[in-house]
């Protein structure tokens, strides 16, 4: 497969069908139960940056937070067909640059997901414990 030009741009809920397609591609089924809920989630997100191959969304980063003190990367996805091209790194880097002054730039991934953990380590992120933090959830 030859890799065409990827362009990066902000987007919104108008890309819902393509967003759902990427979640489906990744096997993230929790997002597929209600298009209405996902549409609202996109509208309420702090920042959405997409990677487009022409008009096809092939990856995106979705962030929530206040944009001043906390930014949480809710989702970072790249279609299986377009992985290992630097798209995920570019999405994350551009977001980190945009929010370079934020106090806490954070995300959560599965502890057992070797690929995700290797990716986040390679781009310079550290586990919470390595930064003097711990995390909790219910």
């Amino acid at each position: 497969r030859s890799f065409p030009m990827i362009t990066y741009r902000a987007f919104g809920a108008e890309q819902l069908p393509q967003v759902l397609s990427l979640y489906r591609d990744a096997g993230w089924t929790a997002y597929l139960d209600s298009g209405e809920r996902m549409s609202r989630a996109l509208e309420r997100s702090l920042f959405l940056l997409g990677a487009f191959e022409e008009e096809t969304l092939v990856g995106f980063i979705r962030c929530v937070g206040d944009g001043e003190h906390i930014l949480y990367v809710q989702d970072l996805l790249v279609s299986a067909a377009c992985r290992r091209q630097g798209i995920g790194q570019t999405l994350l880097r551009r977001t980190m640059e945009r929010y370079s002054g934020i106090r806490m730039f954070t995300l959560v991934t599965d502890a057992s997901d070797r690929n995700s953990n290797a990716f986040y380590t390679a781009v310079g992120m550290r586990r919470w414990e390595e930064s003097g933090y711990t995390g909790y959830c219910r």
Side-chain angles (χ1 to χ4, degrees), residues 58-132:
V58 297
F60 71 94
I61 190 168
R62 180 169 80 93
C63 304
V64 297
D66 62 20
E68 298 294 334
H69 298 279
I70 181 83
L71 181 130
Y72 181 86
V73 176
Q74 178 65 37
D75 304 310
L76 175 57
L77 284 169
V78 176
S79 72
C82 294
R83 291 187 187 139
R84 310 217 42 94
Q85 296 181 48
I87 294 170
Q89 286 183 347
T90 299
L91 289 165
L92 189 59
R93 181 181 44 77
R94 288 185 180 198
T95 302
M96 291 173 101
E97 289 169 1
R98 178 183 175 107
Y99 292 99
S100 62
I102 204 143
R103 191 169 62 92
M104 181 171 269
F105 188 104
T106 189
L107 59 89
V108 173
T109 194
D110 293 334
S112 62
D113 186 333
R114 291 177 40 200
N115 290 335
S116 289
N117 284 283
F119 170 79
Y120 291 119
T121 301
V123 297
M125 297 195 78
R126 299 179 297 174
R127 292 181 178 272
W128 289 358
E129 291 80 6
E130 295 171 9
S131 301

Side-chain angles (χ1 to χ4, degrees), residues 35-50:
E36 290 178 15
R37 286 183 69 192
M38 196 63 237
S39 180
R40 285 191 302 273
L42 294 175
E43 290 170 2
R44 295 174 182 168
S45 295
L46 175 67
F47 182 62
L48 294 160
L49 181 64

Side-chain angles (χ1 to χ4, degrees), residues 3-56:
F3 301 118
M5 175 67 109
I6 301 295
T7 58
Y8 297 88
R9 66 178 184 266
F11 69 95
E14 77 283 352
Q15 297 294 338
L16 177 64
Q18 293 196 75
V19 167
L20 293 175
S21 178
L22 283 172
Y23 285 132
R24 196 173 298 105
D25 179 61
W28 293 13
T29 58
Y31 289 98
L32 303 175
D33 66 341
S34 169
E36 290 178 15
R37 286 183 69 192
M38 196 63 237
S39 180
R40 285 191 302 273
L42 294 175
E43 290 170 2
R44 295 174 182 168
S45 295
L46 175 67
F47 182 62
L48 294 160
L49 181 64
F52 291 85
E53 183 181 291
E54 296 182 9
E55 292 304 311
T56 301

